[in-house]
Amino acid sequence: METPFTPAHLPSLAQAAVRIGLNLAPGQEVVLTAPLETLPLVRKITEEAYKAGASLVTTFFTDDESTLLRYRHAPDSAFDTATGWLFEGMGKAYNAGAARLGFAIQVQMHTLQSQHLRPRRVDGLSAVGKPQVAQQIQHDAGAVQTR
């Protein structure tokens, strides 16, 4: 996957993300979610966050190929579970004031549908995952409203 930025843009993008987008305060933690393809930018953002005084930067990477493997090979029951411990941990971090930065480059629905996967697997979120995602959305909306 190509990224829409060049290496020369990375420092200014990282600085804008941390200083303007996150408005990071000294001592604040940062939680990043990003696809593997954005690794060079994530590293620059991490560097900029620490320069701005972040106490901890934690990054969770996603991988489109791994996601597709789940859709291709996992049993149907796997789509009725969510990693609650991960969402709970992230929720605790956000409730304690951690800043969140997420990249929205993800497997597109048409990509999943073109893989000839069973419809149940691409119909949307499982009932189990919806509460955790709703909590994430509420946090994101609250963060935007308080800026």
Side-chain angles (χ1 to χ4, degrees):
M1 173 184 291
E2 281 189 43
T3 57
F5 45 80
T6 64
H9 292 121
L10 297 181
S12 58
L13 288 170
Q15 187 173 25
V18 171
R19 306 225 181 234
I20 298 169
L22 293 178
N23 193 21
L24 193 68
Q28 193 173 12
E29 291 185 23
V30 177
V31 177
L32 287 167
T33 55
L36 289 172
E37 294 84 1
T38 62
L39 181 60
L41 179 57
V42 168
R43 286 180 175 155
K44 285 293 183 187
I45 289 171
T46 300
E47 177 183 356
E48 191 63 35
Y50 282 123
K51 286 180 179 178
S55 61
L56 179 65
V57 178
T58 303
T59 305
F60 296 96
F61 285 103
T62 59
D63 174 50
D64 287 351
E65 285 301 314
S66 294
T67 300
L68 284 171
L69 290 170
R70 178 181 186 214
Y71 280 89
R72 285 186 194 126
H73 303 294
D76 285 345
S77 62
F79 294 88
D80 292 327
T81 61
T83 51
W85 58 268
L86 176 61
F87 289 108
E88 289 171 16
M90 291 172 80
K92 286 179 184 178
Y94 301 143
N95 288 336
R100 177 183 184 272
L101 180 61
F103 290 81
I105 303 172
Q106 297 177 1
V107 173
Q108 299 297 318
M109 187 59 76
H110 67 347
T111 302
L112 293 175
Q113 290 168 338
S114 71
Q115 298 291 317
H116 305 291
L117 302 169
R118 290 188 291 249
R120 172 170 160 27
R121 295 188 179 188
V122 293
D123 282 343
L125 297 170
S126 71
V128 175
K130 286 181 181 177
Q132 288 87 0
V133 172
Q135 180 183 10
Q136 180 71 47
I137 292 168
Q138 286 176 338
H139 174 272
D140 292 350
V144 170
Q145 292 170 2
T146 59
R147 290 209 170 251

